[in-house]
């Protein structure tokens, strides 16, 4: 099937444009992730690790072996009016200097936070927290799941869930808020690297419709072009609703599982509904 036919018949290909590897908070290596996507019959996969592109070259190499298309992606943590908003960048240019600079800054922010979480956990009696968590993070930045694994290993808690409930979740000793850059700062960097900026999982912010529309207006003003109208296994009504908002503001529709780990059966790679037909798909931005 040639490219034109594929665009006319998007159902012929399965897209998953949002997922994570163990280079951020996912559990599979980039290679394992791509191989799993192949098994799940995904034909176009975007790896969108949090604030890093470190897994993309390995994912690309594996995608070649598996004969699936790999889109260079990232999920940026940003802020809009004091709320944490995630912005996915799709089809970004990995050689863009401004993009790499922003990623480095984000990494620094995460690193500083990890150090602070470590200190706070020490203060409530968790010995060697930072170094312990580091053993689980590998070469990447230490994140909360790594602290959770250390807490389990050392017998402080019996599960990831309890680690967050007692130590790492909101209001707990290891809860350190991060001051992310505004999305007005992040979106132009994605756009400047030839990428498409997409609002990730818009239904998860628990905003009123008015607030969400206000955010979308600001997003468009900063150069944003897409909205994830289908995220994971969200219900069809929400997807249609998000598609309507997308159409209203001239956005393209994206779809992604937000897959992190095989142990979450409800968020499987490629297991997403199709994008409602009323909105143009985001891949029309790069497949033409
Ligand atoms: Mn995540
Ligand atoms: Mn997210
Ligand atoms: Mn995500």
């Amino acid at each position: 099937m040639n490219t034109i036919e594929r665009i006319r018949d998007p159902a012929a290909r399965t897209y998953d444009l949002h997922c994570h590897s163990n280079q951020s908070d996912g559990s599979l290596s980039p290679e394992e992730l791509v191989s799993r996507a192949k098994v799940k019959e995904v034909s176009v996969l975007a790896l969108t690790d949090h604030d890093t592109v470190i897994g993309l070259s390995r994912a690309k190499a594996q995608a070649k072996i598996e004969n699936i298309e790999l889109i260079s992606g990232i999920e940026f943590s940003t802020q809009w009016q004091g709320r944490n908003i995630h912005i996915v960048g799709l089809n970004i240019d990995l050689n863009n200097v401004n993009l790499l600079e922003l990623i480095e800054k984000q990494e620094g922010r995460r690193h500083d936070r990890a150090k602070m979480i470590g200190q706070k956990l020490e203060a409530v009696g968790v010995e060697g927290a930072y170094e312990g968590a580091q053993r689980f993070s590998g070469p990447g930045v230490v994140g909360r799941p790594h602290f959770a694994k250390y807490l389990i290993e050392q017998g402080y808690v019996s599960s990831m869930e309890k680690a967050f409930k007692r130590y790492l979740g909101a209001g707990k000793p290891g809860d350190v808020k991060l001051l992310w850059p505004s999305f007005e700062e992040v979106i132009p960097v994605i756009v400047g690297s030839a990428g498409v900026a997409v609002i990730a999982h818009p239904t998860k912010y628990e905003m009123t419709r008015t607030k969400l529309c206000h955010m979308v207006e600001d997003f468009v003003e900063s150069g944003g072009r897409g909205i994830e109208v289908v995220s994971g296994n969200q219900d069809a009504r929400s997807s249609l609703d998000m598609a309507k908002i997308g159409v209203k503001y001239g956005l393209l529709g994206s779809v992604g599982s937000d897959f992190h780990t095989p142990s979450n059966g409800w968020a499987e790679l490629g297991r997403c509904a199709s994008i409602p037909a009323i909105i143009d798909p985001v891949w029309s931005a790069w497949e033409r």
Side-chain angles (χ1 to χ4, degrees), residues 20 25 50 260:
H20 299 273
D25 60 348
H50 295 285
H260 283 72

Side-chain angles (χ1 to χ4, degrees), residues 18 50 75 86 200-201 258:
H18 186 153
H50 295 285
E75 181 174 15
H86 288 176
H201 41 65
D258 208 359

